[in-house]
Amino acid sequence: MARRTHWAISLLVLAAAFLASAGPCQASAKSGFVFFEGTQYPLGVVFIQGEAPGPTVMIQGGIQGDEPTGFLSAQILAESRVLKGNLIVVPRANVPSIHAHQRAVNVDMNRRFDRDYNQFYEDRLARVVRFLLSQSSAFIHLHEGSGFYDPVYVDAQRNPTRWGQSIIIDANTHERLDLARLVNSALSEINSSVREKDLQFKLFNTRTFEPDSQYAKEMRKSLTFYALANLNIPAMAVEVSKNIGALGWKVKHQVFATSVLLRHCGVEIVPPHVDADEIMRLHERDHRVKINGKSLDGQALALPPGGTLKVDPGSAGKEAHGQVVAVFASDRQGVNLVDSPRMALERFQELETRVDGRKVSTTSVRFAGEMPPPLPSGPPVFICWLNGKAVQVKQGEVLHAVVGDQLLIDGVLGSKWKEILNFKGYAARPWSNDGQDMGWEIILDPESFIDKYRLPGSRKDVARYQVVRETVGARPASFFVDIEPRLVQSLKLVDAKGQSLNVHWTSGGEMPLAPGEYAMADASSNGPANRLLPVLGNRPLKTGEKFRVESGRTQLLTLRQSTTFAGLGAMTIVPAAAHKSAEKVAAKVEAKVEAKADDKPEGKSEMRAEVKPVAKLAAKPVAQASTKPVAQATAKPVAKAAAKPVAKAAAKASTKAATKIADKPVVKPVGKPAAKTIVKAVAKPETKPGAKPEAKASAKPVAKADAKALATAKRLTANPDRTEHF
C-alpha cells in the first residue's frame, strides 16, 4: 500500500512539474470588432487569445471578391479553438468587392500596400490591415488562383504563370527568416491529405526582391511583400485553384493547410470539423431581409413616393466573421441599402438581395401613388443624408460638416428629371467619371479630393466644395459643402461605481486615472461621437466597453476617425498614484533649485548645474513605481513632453510609449530600418530558462548577428505576443 501511495505521489509531482514547465494556461477568449461600421465597407475582425502563450498570427481572406474559398475558409478558422498562441482573423477584407463578386471595385486592394494611399475606400481598409499586421508575428493570406502552378511548362493550365494549388512566398530567405524551409517542412503534411497527385500544393517563390523576376512589379505592391519587407515577419499565401469546381473540397483543404502552417509558426489550433456538404450549406444559406417590415420574397413591394426605405437584414451582420448581405436597387447597382439610407425620389424597377455576392432573390417595386412627390415652390431643394440623418439644402445654401463625416446626395425633391448631381472634386466611379455622384457614399476627407476644386471656406481651415446640378434640360442649381477639421474637446469615462469622469483631451499629454476599471462612454467634439474610434494600445474600444488601469503600467490611448482610420492624436494613461508622486518630487526639486539660486551672489547662477539633477529626480519616481519595462519607458517621454512644445512632445511620447506598451509599435516605420529594428527585438535565439526574455535583445549590432538562419517557429516562440493585443 505504501509503495502504491509513493508511486501515485511521484506521478502527481511529475505531472505538476510538467504543467509548470508548460507555462500558465487559461481558457481561450474570442472577441469581434467591426471597423468602418455603418459605411459601405465594414471590416469585421476576430481576435482569439489562446489557452497558452505564444505568437500572434494574422489570417486574412476576401481581399478579392471573386475568391469565395478564401473568405469561407477564414470564417471557419475564426471558429477555431486556439490551444497555443493567438489569432487575428480578417475573413472578408473587401466587402464591396464580395458583394459585386469581382476582383476589384475601384482598384485591386492587394496592390495598395507599397505606400499609404488615400483616394478610395480600399486605401482606408489597407490602413487598418497594416495596423493589425503590425501586431502579428506571421501572416497567412488565403486566395484562389487560376489554373495550377508548376515551375515548368506542362500545358496552358499548368505552368509558371498559373497560381492555383500553391503556397506563395516572396523569397526563399530574407534577413534571418527561412521561408522556404518553413513551407517545405509543412508541405509534406499538407499534401498527405490530398489524394489526387495533380491537385497537390507546390512551393511558389515569386522572387519579388530580385529585379529579373517577372512577378516583381505587381508583387511589390502586395500585402505579403509588405509584411516581409517592412515588418520582417514570415508571410505566405495559400492559393487553391479556381479550376477546381468543388467549393467544399477547396475550403476543407485550405483550412487544413492553414492549420499546418500555423503550427509551424508556433500557433496550435483545433479548427471546427466541417465536411464538404456542410460548407456548401453554409455558403448557400439564405437570409430573410425585410424592407419597411415586408420580406423580400419575390412578391411585389409597394413604396410610397418620397418614402424612406428602411432595411432590416435579419441575422446578417450580427457576427464580425459572418456572411455579408446586400440589397441593391436596379438604378444604383453597387450601393448597398443595408448600410445606406434612401428616399424614393425617382422610379426604379426592382430590388436584388445578395448573400456573399450570390444572388438569392429579386423583388419588383411598384409605387403606391404618383411619382415624383409634390414639388415645393421656390428654388430646387436637394435631399442629402449626413451621417445617416436626412437634411434639406436649398439652392445656394451651405451644408456644414466635419472631416470624416458621411455624406450621401439622394436627389432633388419633386424632380421629374433623371438627375445628375456632381460633387466637384470627387469621383464616385473613377473608371467611368460621368459626373454622377448622386446616391453614392462620400466620406468627407479633403485630402482625398481633387485639390483644384477646393474653394475658400468660411474660415481659413475650412475646405469648401460645390455640388452642381448637371441634369440635361433642368434649371441649373448648386449648393456648397463646408468641411472643418475634427476637434476633440473631452472624453467621458465611467468608472466601476458608475460615476462619470470628464477628461480634457490634449494630444501628447497625460491622462492620470486611479487604478481600476473604466468604460468609454462618450466624446465631446464638433461632430458626432460615433465618428471617433478610441484605440487603447492595439485594441479598438467599443462604446461602453470596459478597460483596466493598473498600478505601475502606462497605456497609450489613440483617437482615430472611424470612417478613415486617420489619426487624431494620442494621450498616455498614467496611474494616478505614479502621476502624483512624480509631480510632488518635481515640485520639491524645483523649490530646492530656487532656494539655492537665492543664496548665490548676483551675477552667478547654478541653474545649468541644477538642470540635470532635476530631470533625473523627476523621472526616477515614475520609473521606480514598477519594475515593469513599460513603467520605465514612460519616464523619458514625460520629461521630454514637459520640455518641448506640445506638438513635438506628442509625436515622441506617443511613439515611445506605443513601442513599450505592445510588442510592436502601432504603426511601424517603412523601409529597411524598420526591418532591422524587428530583427534585434524578435529574431534572437531562445534564452535560458529563468532568464529575462528581452534583457539583451539589442546588445549586439545587427551586422554581427549569427548569419545562420533560425528555424522560424523557434524564432516566433521565443517572443510571444502580449495579451494587451486583445
Side-chain angles (χ1 to χ4, degrees), residues 309-359:
L309 282 70
K310 296 180 180 178
V311 182
D312 177 10
S315 61
K318 298 289 174 66
E319 297 175 315
H321 65 289
Q323 291 176 296
V324 288
V325 176
V327 177
F328 297 106
S330 53
D331 64 335
R332 294 181 185 176
Q333 290 291 327
V335 181
N336 184 11
L337 290 173
V338 172
D339 299 312
S340 181
R342 178 174 183 177
M343 287 186 183
L345 300 176
E346 292 186 359
R347 288 185 179 275
F348 58 93
Q349 301 300 315
E350 61 185 23
L351 294 166
E352 180 179 293
T353 304
R354 300 179 198 169
V355 178
D356 273 345
R358 184 177 54 86
K359 181 178 172 180

Side-chain angles (χ1 to χ4, degrees), residues 75-97:
Q75 178 177 341
I76 291 168
L77 287 161
E79 294 284 355
S80 298
R81 178 188 174 191
V82 180
L83 305 178
K84 179 185 177 184
N86 312 303
L87 286 183
I88 299 175
V89 186
V90 183
R92 292 166 176 82
N94 191 344
V95 167
S97 75

Side-chain angles (χ1 to χ4, degrees), residues 6-61:
H6 176 74
W7 180 75
I9 292 172
S10 300
L11 276 180
L12 288 171
V13 170
L14 285 171
F18 172 78
L19 289 172
S21 66
C25 290
Q26 58 183 358
S28 61
K30 184 171 80 170
S31 62
F33 189 85
V34 180
F35 293 88
F36 309 117
E37 192 169 20
T39 70
Q40 289 281 304
Y41 46 97
L43 181 71
V45 182
V46 177
F47 302 89
I48 309 177
Q49 184 177 341
E51 298 172 10
T56 295
V57 177
M58 178 171 161
I59 301 169
Q60 180 172 281

Side-chain angles (χ1 to χ4, degrees), residues 533-605:
L533 173 62
V535 179
L536 187 65
N538 285 323
R539 176 189 175 190
L541 285 177
K542 302 174 185 175
T543 301
E545 186 177 0
K546 295 177 181 178
F547 65 92
R548 289 199 63 81
V549 175
E550 297 176 1
S551 179
R553 175 172 171 254
T554 61
Q555 300 178 78
L556 193 71
L557 179 66
T558 306
L559 280 184
R560 293 180 176 270
Q561 297 274 16
S562 68
T563 53
T564 67
F565 205 64
L568 294 170
M571 292 186 72
T572 303
I573 297 178
V574 181
H579 179 82
K580 287 178 181 178
S581 64
E583 278 188 341
K584 195 178 290 184
V585 170
K588 285 182 179 179
V589 173
E590 189 176 347
K592 185 179 177 183
V593 171
E594 289 178 359
K596 284 191 176 185
D598 289 340
D599 292 340
K600 287 292 171 186
E602 279 191 64
K604 286 191 175 183
S605 172

Side-chain angles (χ1 to χ4, degrees), residues 486-488 505 507 531-533 558-561 566-570:
R486 175 81 63 180
L487 300 174
V488 182
W505 178 258
S507 182
R531 292 294 175 243
L532 296 173
L533 173 62
T558 306
L559 280 184
R560 293 180 176 270
Q561 297 274 16
L568 294 170

